[in-house]
Amino acid sequence: NPHLVAYMESHDEERLMYKNLTFGNSSGTYNVRTEATALRRMEAAASLFLTIPGPKMIWEFGERGYDKSIFACTDNTVPQPYGTDNCKLSRKEPRWQYMQDDNRKRLFEVNKALIKLRNTQAALFNSTNFEYSLVSAVKYFKIAEPNLAALIVANFDVTPATASVTFQNAGTWYDYLTGETVTASGAAQSLQLLPGEYHVYLNKNITNVITTPVINISS
């Protein structure tokens, strides 16, 4: 599907983090160019990127928010206009110091938890029963198989937003990453989302799949 392909191609961990810090928008005190906020938005992007079926590739330290442009030269300059690929294949240094940053550790844990969900719930993520909306600032992806369903929703705006979603069935749904619950009506309902807020909802409580707790760090 062209919308899914466009989303997958646009989600490159390096480019996204670099673009967050370099070109990110702001509203009031919410500023995407702030590192902690940029990293939390990386989590939101990963929630969709890693749950949409299909093969995935995470580039060098992308799971920790690598913030050097893929187009950067060895002297750390980035040829302009952005996207000029003269140095795209130039050597990029590792950044092991990311391992000591709590915000980056959190992003790593979110990526790890989402990948584990995919690996342990193969029937769900091989399902062709899905729908999505990836065009506007508020995005969602829904996928289901007979025994499990998921709804992922994220607000990529810099202001609060109201998401209109329809859970696949009525009842209690569980946020996979936090264990918090939401009551679904089975019909269209509104969810209030702060800028950068995201949720990975499942209609079964399988949060015990996460072996390492996802720490809560304010953006």
Side-chain angles (χ1 to χ4, degrees):
N1 184 284
H3 292 299
L4 282 175
V5 171
Y7 178 79
M8 301 306 294
E9 289 179 346
S10 68
H11 183 87
D12 180 308
E13 285 79 3
E14 168 277 326
R15 293 190 196 182
L16 184 57
M17 186 62 183
Y18 176 82
K19 285 183 174 179
N20 280 344
L21 295 173
T22 307
F23 308 114
N25 293 327
S26 65
S27 177
T29 60
Y30 187 86
N31 188 348
V32 178
R33 299 190 192 190
T34 301
E35 182 178 283
T37 302
L39 287 167
R40 291 303 295 269
R41 290 176 78 91
M42 290 289 290
E43 295 175 23
S47 73
L48 286 163
F49 175 66
L50 292 174
T51 55
I52 292 175
K56 303 294 187 293
M57 180 175 69
I58 298 177
W59 191 65
E60 179 182 20
F61 290 93
E63 74 282 2
R64 294 185 187 268
Y66 193 70
D67 51 16
K68 181 173 181 176
S69 173
I70 197 171
F71 300 113
C73 301
T74 53
D75 62 359
N76 287 325
T77 60
V78 178
Q80 298 300 316
Y82 182 75
T84 302
D85 61 1
N86 297 356
C87 296
K88 188 173 184 179
L89 299 182
S90 297
R91 184 181 179 86
K92 308 296 190 292
E93 77 275 13
R95 295 189 170 176
W96 298 106
Q97 65 269 29
Y98 288 170
M99 311 300 188
Q100 308 306 316
D101 186 308
D102 283 343
N103 289 321
R104 295 181 185 278
K105 287 180 183 178
R106 175 187 163 89
L107 175 59
F108 174 84
E109 294 297 341
V110 169
N111 276 266
K112 177 181 176 181
L114 292 168
I115 291 170
K116 189 164 188 178
L117 179 65
R118 281 178 61 106
N119 289 341
T120 58
Q121 307 300 326
L124 177 63
F125 294 104
N126 285 319
S127 173
T128 57
N129 179 16
F130 59 79
E131 63 178 273
Y132 55 86
S133 175
L134 302 173
V135 177
S136 64
V138 176
K139 306 180 189 300
Y140 74 81
F141 177 72
K142 298 164 59 175
I143 190 167
E145 53 97 0
N147 298 307
L148 185 63
L151 186 153
I152 299 90
V153 61
N155 176 19
F156 289 97
D157 209 336
V158 293
T159 57
T162 300
S164 178
V165 298
T166 303
F167 289 89
Q168 292 94 313
N169 60 265
T172 301
W173 284 64
Y174 302 85
D175 189 317
Y176 170 68
L177 295 172
T178 69
E180 297 177 353
T181 62
V182 63
T183 300
S185 65
Q189 63 189 91
S190 297
L191 296 178
Q192 304 302 315
L193 300 174
L194 294 172
E197 183 176 354
Y198 69 98
H199 297 280
V200 179
Y201 288 119
L202 303 172
N203 64 350
K204 290 185 179 180
N205 186 6
I206 55 173
T207 54
N208 59 348
V209 171
I210 306 175
T211 57
T212 303
V214 178
I215 57 176
N216 184 21
I217 299 174
S218 298
S219 60

